[in-house]
Amino acid sequence: MPLTDKQTHDLRGLIDARRKALLAEMREDAARAREQPYSEHAGGVSDSGDESVATLIADLEQAELTRDLEEFRTLDVARNRLQDGSYGVCTDCGSDIAFERLKASPGAMRCIQCQERHEKTYGGEPRPSL
Ligand SMILES: [Zn+2]
C-alpha cells in the first residue's frame, strides 16, 4: 500500500528531526575533537599503555563519526526521494516499503525482504575466500 499524505508528512518530520539531531551530534564531536586533539588524549605521557588507549579512543570516535555521516547521507537521499515522489518504494523490487519499517528506519531504501537478501549477499560476517 502506498504511503498516505499524512504518513509521508510524518516521515518527513522524522527525517528532519533525525537530521538535525545528527548534525548537532557531529558538530559536538567536531568541537570536542578540536578541544581535545589526539595528543591531549595521550597527555604527553610516554607510557605506551596510555598511548594505545588514546589511539583506541580516536578510532572509536572516528568510527562513530563515519557512522553518523553515513546515516546523514542516507537521510539526505530519503529527502530527495520525498521530493521526487520515489520515497517509500523499494529500490530493488519496486514494491511499497511498509510504513512501520519506514517509521523505525526513515532512511530505508529497500523492503524487508530485499534488505534481508541484500545483507545475506553483501553484509554480515566476512566469509573466508576459500
Ligand atoms: Zn523489495
Side-chain angles (χ1 to χ4, degrees):
M1 215 173 59
L3 297 169
T4 64
D5 285 351
K6 162 116 181 44
Q7 285 172 330
T8 307
H9 177 85
D10 287 354
L11 289 167
R12 190 190 297 266
L14 276 179
I15 290 169
D16 284 348
R18 184 68 191 135
R19 261 179 111 250
K20 247 182 231 154
L22 269 177
L23 210 56
E25 215 174 283
M26 289 191 290
R27 276 212 192 100
E28 245 171 62
D29 283 351
R32 219 176 27 232
R34 265 199 304 275
E35 281 163 23
Q36 246 183 336
Y38 169 76
S39 58
E40 270 181 48
H41 276 310
V45 183
S46 56
D47 186 295
S48 63
D50 279 1
E51 217 168 282
S52 58
V53 168
T55 310
L56 187 69
I57 291 170
D59 282 354
L60 284 176
E61 281 176 354
Q62 192 57 49
E64 200 188 312
L65 198 61
T66 305
R67 220 173 27 237
D68 285 351
L69 258 178
E70 266 168 23
E71 190 180 349
F72 191 76
R73 287 207 193 96
T74 308
L75 291 175
D76 259 0
V77 172
R79 264 159 59 110
N80 289 338
R81 280 160 61 88
L82 271 169
Q83 288 290 335
D84 67 21
S86 63
Y87 184 75
V89 176
C90 174
T91 52
D92 282 13
C93 70
S95 1
D96 298 317
I97 305 173
F99 176 60
E100 289 307 313
R101 168 161 166 73
L102 289 169
K103 227 166 60 176
S105 167
M109 306 270 285
R110 293 182 184 85
C111 69
I112 296 250
Q113 286 83 358
C114 291
Q115 185 62 38
E116 276 172 4
R117 197 169 53 229
H118 183 80
E119 275 166 19
K120 247 180 234 157
T121 313
Y122 300 104
E125 300 290 301
R127 253 162 275 173
S129 52
L130 287 175

